[in-house]
Amino acid sequence: MIKRLIKRLPSDLLVRLYTAMPFKGIKNWIVYKAQDKFLVAVLGVITNESSQVLLLNHVYREEPWGIPGGWMELEAPEKGLKREIQEETGLSVEITGIYRAVYQTDPDRVELIFRGEVRGGTFRPCAEISDILYCEVGSWPAGLPDTQKSLIQEVLEKTSV
């Protein structure tokens, strides 16, 4: 309801109201309520010390193998990816850079794709991940989507030194 009301007001009036309003908390709440919402996913092409790619077996997917990732909470993106990997696998990783951001639909989301390296930990399965696999580029397991194969190769080619 607030969003529809705000969308009907002229933008110059909105700017004057925002500038004149003394309470930052209320201003931020109004801005938040007036904006469209979408999800932010963090994904990682993660390698081990042998440059093999970390893949996870996701129990809920038709094509189960894929790169690590998940939905961000209210946190820095790199921290969100590290948290997701730790929670789902028990592994600790270092994020070495961002590759790109992509807008996707169904659901509407922004995917932040990072590069990283495994630094330690011992794999332990969870409700979402039943197994992990380190593999050489091109020696993909059955059940790894073609889109992920291409993405992994792009990221590794772009970020290799």
Side-chain angles (χ1 to χ4, degrees):
M1 178 155 141
I2 292 173
K3 182 177 174 179
R4 282 183 283 178
L5 174 65
I6 289 173
K7 295 274 184 196
R8 291 180 181 205
L9 296 175
S11 60
D12 59 331
L13 176 61
L14 288 172
V15 170
R16 283 187 294 212
L17 288 171
Y18 184 86
T19 307
M21 189 175 293
F23 303 110
K24 184 178 179 182
I26 293 173
K27 288 197 282 192
N28 289 343
W29 180 82
I30 291 170
V31 168
Y32 176 81
K33 289 295 187 182
Q35 299 303 310
D36 293 320
K37 310 294 185 284
F38 56 88
L39 298 166
V40 179
V42 286
L43 305 168
V45 175
I46 310 295
T47 53
N48 64 9
E49 66 279 350
S50 301
S51 298
Q52 296 170 309
V53 178
L54 172 65
L55 297 176
L56 310 182
N57 189 326
H58 299 83
V59 299
Y60 53 87
R61 294 183 182 171
E62 285 184 35
E63 292 181 286
W65 289 101
I67 60 175
W71 300 116
M72 270 184 54
E73 296 175 4
L74 297 176
E75 61 197 339
E78 294 89 342
K79 184 177 178 183
L81 181 56
K82 290 172 74 168
R83 175 190 50 75
E84 282 287 337
I85 294 171
Q86 176 72 40
E87 287 175 2
E88 294 179 350
T89 68
L91 301 175
S92 61
V93 298
E94 176 185 345
I95 305 304
T96 57
I98 187 164
Y99 173 64
R100 71 177 179 200
V102 180
Y103 175 76
Q104 300 284 0
T105 58
D106 197 26
D108 288 322
R109 67 191 182 278
V110 172
E111 294 179 348
L112 303 175
I113 304 164
F114 291 91
R115 177 81 171 82
E117 299 170 358
V118 174
R119 291 294 185 219
T122 302
F123 172 69
R124 53 172 173 59
C126 71
E128 296 178 53
I129 307 299
S130 63
D131 200 4
I132 65 170
L133 171 69
Y134 291 100
C135 67
E136 303 290 334
V137 173
S139 298
W140 308 121
L144 177 65
D146 289 339
T147 55
Q148 293 234 330
K149 293 174 190 174
S150 299
L151 176 63
I152 293 166
Q153 289 180 252
E154 285 175 32
V155 171
L156 293 177
E157 288 171 7
K158 183 76 172 186
T159 60
S160 64
V161 180

